[in-house]
Amino acid sequence: MTVLRFRKSSYSGTGEDCVEVAHIPPDFRKSSYSAQRQECVEVAELPCGAAIRDSKHPTAGHLPFPASEWTGFLTAALTR
């Protein structure tokens, strides 16, 4: 179960009535192209595309891709 952490929106101003927003962390999984190797690329589906990260350094961040770029990448990778 994902725990959401809310923060006050920067659009709320200084009043007490405000809007809060939450960031949903990506759910990474091992890429099917990594086979049985320990060092692999992990991928996560995002509402607007996908993200990848290095399994050796998961806390170093990730690279997000818009849906159109991710689709283009997959198309190019699968036709090779």
Side-chain angles (χ1 to χ4, degrees), residues 48-80:
C48 59
I52 60 171
R53 73 178 181 186
D54 184 346
S55 66
K56 295 178 291 187
H57 307 285
T59 60
H62 60 271
L63 296 172
F65 293 93
S68 60
E69 289 182 16
W70 186 246
T71 300
F73 168 76
L74 291 178
T75 300
L78 294 174
T79 57
R80 293 187 182 254

Side-chain angles (χ1 to χ4, degrees), residues 2-80:
T2 302
V3 176
L4 298 179
R5 296 177 191 210
F6 286 88
R7 64 174 173 77
K8 183 177 177 180
S9 168
S10 59
Y11 292 100
S12 295
T14 57
E16 292 212 15
D17 296 328
C18 62
V19 174
E20 292 185 335
V21 295
H23 170 74
I24 300 173
D27 184 22
F28 284 92
R29 63 180 167 72
K30 183 178 176 180
S31 169
S32 59
Y33 290 99
S34 295
Q36 300 299 319
R37 299 174 64 182
Q38 294 296 323
E39 300 167 348
C40 60
V41 173
E42 296 177 332
V43 64
E45 293 181 29
L46 301 176
C48 59
I52 60 171
R53 73 178 181 186
D54 184 346
S55 66
K56 295 178 291 187
H57 307 285
T59 60
H62 60 271
L63 296 172
F65 293 93
S68 60
E69 289 182 16
W70 186 246
T71 300
F73 168 76
L74 291 178
T75 300
L78 294 174
T79 57
R80 293 187 182 254

